[in-house]
Amino acid sequence: MQEFLQQLVNGVSWGSIYALIALGYTMVYGVLQLINFAHGDVFMLGAFFGFYFSRWTKIAQEPTLFGFFATLLFAMAACALVGVIIERAAYKPLRERPRLTALITAIGVSLLLENGGQLLFGVDPKFFPSLISETRLYESANLVISNLPVIILVVSLALMLLLRFIVMKTTIGKAMRATAFNREAAALMGINTNNVISFTFLLGSALAGAGGILVALTYPKIDPLMGLLPGLKAFVAAVLGGIGNIPGAVLGGMILGVSETMVAGYISSTLRDAIAFALLVVILLVKPTGLLGSRVGEKV
Amino acid sequence: MTDNNFILEVKNLCVFYGGIQAVKDISFGIKKGEIITLIGATGAGKSTTLRAISGLLKPREGEILLEGRSLKNIPPYEVVKKGISHAPEGRKIFANLTVRENLELGAYLRRDKPAIGQDMERVFGLFPRLKERIKQNAGTLSGGEQQMLAIGRALMSAPKLLLLDEPSLGLAPLLVKAIFEVIKEINAKGVSIILVEQNAYQALKIAARGYVLETGKITMTVTAEDLVTNEELRKAYLGG
């Protein structure tokens, strides 16, 4: 039982990071019907932005909560900027082109960020400073809960609630939902849909940047290719929940995180990475629209 | 010289979809406070003309003048700001948003909150059914209610000129009558209206004149009286 709890805590915390990244995939898909394959690499950039920021500001020397939040905010802001630049430079010129063109471009942007990252940051892994000193919140014979997964979970949930507020309660959020539903009708309302699309990239990339920092807290070895697998898995999480569906992305991320840690804990850790893709195969066979997704008729 | 009485003038408009010319050199005008109607078969270029006016399509040639000023290269969201509101073909309401949110989006560019509230009340005055359904997702509305919402939403930008694309499509006859009554009421408040209709007879009854489109060209300008006096016309274009 205690071991199960242990796995559950880790799984939920890990799942909340998948959820953060999956939200970016699903929101961009919502407004553009584009799988932004560069999204996982923006997550990687988040970790590197945090790494350099905390070194330059000397935050890395001593773990403080303030230092952690400053680093988090910096990485989010920098990733938001990168996300908007990617959208304006790579995707916007292709707005009226077939969807496949943008999809291939997304793969190109992803390769650019990965190889550009290797050029800029070096191929060798770097060690992310421990911005938070690990303490044990609870300890018994078989169960140890440290503060890290709890902080990860709390920060992720706070960001998701903030996102929910923006999407559901603000004017720009309403414009996002309208644009996702029908871009042309949204334009007829006086919504500048190009700005809404950029704003969507801004939000998604900021969340990916936060994900990069949160992952680096637990797995401090960061390298320019670190976004590849988590990016792919977060994409699976988004499809699992129903691509384009915001609560679906959160649900998909959580399910993926928990199943991964359970499989690693009870069966074999070598199967950890396989479970995501097994889930993808199953969901595509059983319910291709995802758990919370609904079939949307082709727009005429 | 431009006649200042025209709220909108379309001059020698040519619009293409890819390589296909959908609108061929058409010209017409609407004066302030008028209702005019574009009638004709499916594919005659009626909706295309509206889409060019609201900026969704770029004309290949020709001019569209709003109160004497060209709308060339003005994107749709700017056209709304200039006072043209377009209730598009197929309603295109935001099914995943509530009725209230749909109406609020209609007023997206406006910042005058009290006036927006008044206009929303005005819409509810025209369509009391919408008020009953204010918190419902628009996707759960019936076809007629969705049409009411589409018109109401278009009114929320406080337009000078309203473009209505087939507001009676798919509605029961009684509802069609009600919708036309509302269109007259909106017009009486000073909003000029370009009405695209398949229901030519009904449309001509409330319009100052109608332009008959055939495969992208205006072939005739007609009034309601022509329907009575011109048997041939009635048979040829108005189905009876």
Side-chain angles (χ1 to χ4, degrees), chain A residues 174 177 181-182 184 188, chain B residues 51 80 92-93 101 104:
Chain A
K174 228 182 307 172
R177 284 182 287 146
F181 189 77
N182 189 318
E184 212 174 82
L188 289 180
Chain B
R51 289 162 63 81
V80 183
K92 303 282 159 59
I93 55 150
E101 286 174 328
E104 284 169 352

Side-chain angles (χ1 to χ4, degrees), chain A residues 171-270:
Chain A
T171 305
I172 182 81
K174 228 182 307 172
M176 274 174 73
R177 284 182 287 146
T179 304
F181 189 77
N182 189 318
R183 204 190 310 162
E184 212 174 82
L188 289 180
M189 300 299 108
I191 296 169
N192 183 336
T193 49
N194 282 328
N195 287 352
V196 170
I197 290 167
S198 291
F199 184 75
T200 308
F201 274 84
L202 182 148
L203 283 183
S205 305
L207 292 182
I213 299 292
L214 295 179
V215 165
L217 288 181
T218 328
Y219 297 87
K221 223 171 90 176
I222 63 172
D223 71 83
L225 297 183
M226 67 180 274
L228 212 59
L229 201 56
L232 218 49
K233 287 187 193 165
F235 169 61
V236 170
V239 172
L240 186 64
I243 190 114
N245 183 304
I246 289 180
V250 176
L251 180 69
M254 290 295 180
I255 291 177
L256 192 57
V258 173
S259 7
E260 271 193 3
T261 44
M262 292 295 170
V263 165
Y266 288 105
I267 303 171
S268 156
S269 57
T270 52

Side-chain angles (χ1 to χ4, degrees), chain B residues 7-235:
Chain B
I7 182 153
L8 190 91
E9 277 176 288
V10 172
K11 291 179 174 172
N12 307 105
L13 184 72
C14 295
V15 189
F16 284 73
Y17 274 115
I20 298 156
Q21 186 165 11
V23 168
K24 299 167 186 165
D25 193 25
I26 68 168
S27 301
F28 63 89
I30 169 170
K31 289 184 187 143
K32 278 177 191 150
E34 268 187 338
I35 301 181
I36 64 161
T37 176
L38 306 179
I39 49 191
T42 309
K46 307 180 303 276
S47 296
T48 307
T49 305
L50 290 194
R51 289 162 63 81
I53 295 172
S54 59
L56 290 174
L57 292 173
K58 276 206 173 109
R60 178 82 57 96
E61 272 167 66
E63 259 192 320
I64 299 168
L65 302 172
L66 177 68
E67 295 175 316
R69 261 175 288 182
S70 172
L71 292 178
K72 198 179 170 77
N73 289 328
I74 295 183
Y77 54 89
E78 297 273 340
V79 172
V80 183
K81 206 184 266 177
K82 291 182 184 297
I84 299 180
S85 193
H86 182 177
E89 189 180 13
R91 297 160 196 156
K92 303 282 159 59
I93 55 150
F94 303 111
N96 53 339
L97 273 65
T98 65
V99 168
R100 175 189 284 281
E101 286 174 328
N102 268 272
L103 292 174
E104 284 169 352
L105 277 170
Y108 184 75
L109 292 175
R110 297 171 63 189
R111 294 290 170 266
D112 45 340
K113 269 210 165 146
I116 294 173
Q118 278 172 21
D119 280 351
M120 200 178 284
E121 283 308 315
R122 229 182 86 199
V123 169
F124 291 144
L126 294 171
F127 305 112
R129 292 274 279 283
L130 292 182
K131 191 165 193 173
E132 293 164 27
R133 310 223 181 285
I134 186 159
K135 284 182 185 155
Q136 255 171 266
N137 265 12
T140 64
L141 301 183
S142 72
E145 290 164 347
Q146 291 192 6
Q147 188 58 62
M148 295 172 195
L149 183 57
I151 298 175
R153 187 182 65 175
L155 284 175
M156 288 301 293
S157 67
K160 298 180 224 171
L161 175 64
L162 182 61
L163 312 178
L164 293 176
D165 200 339
E166 306 236 9
S168 74
L169 189 69
L171 300 187
L174 214 62
L175 215 50
V176 172
K177 221 178 146 197
I179 293 275
F180 274 95
E181 282 304 315
V182 169
I183 294 173
K184 263 173 32 190
E185 222 176 304
I186 293 166
N187 179 245
K189 296 253 164 67
V191 182
S192 313
I193 297 173
I194 301 181
L195 179 62
V196 159
E197 259 301 331
Q198 44 157 15
N199 199 331
Y201 186 69
Q202 286 272 20
L204 273 175
K205 274 211 302 203
I206 62 168
R209 64 194 167 281
Y211 297 92
V212 179
L213 271 92
E214 258 183 291
T215 57
K217 288 189 194 130
I218 291 181
T219 53
M220 201 181 297
T221 308
V222 294
T223 62
E225 285 131 58
D226 294 337
L227 283 183
V228 185
T229 53
N230 192 332
E231 183 81 14
E232 209 173 323
L233 170 82
R234 199 159 66 211
K235 276 194 184 138

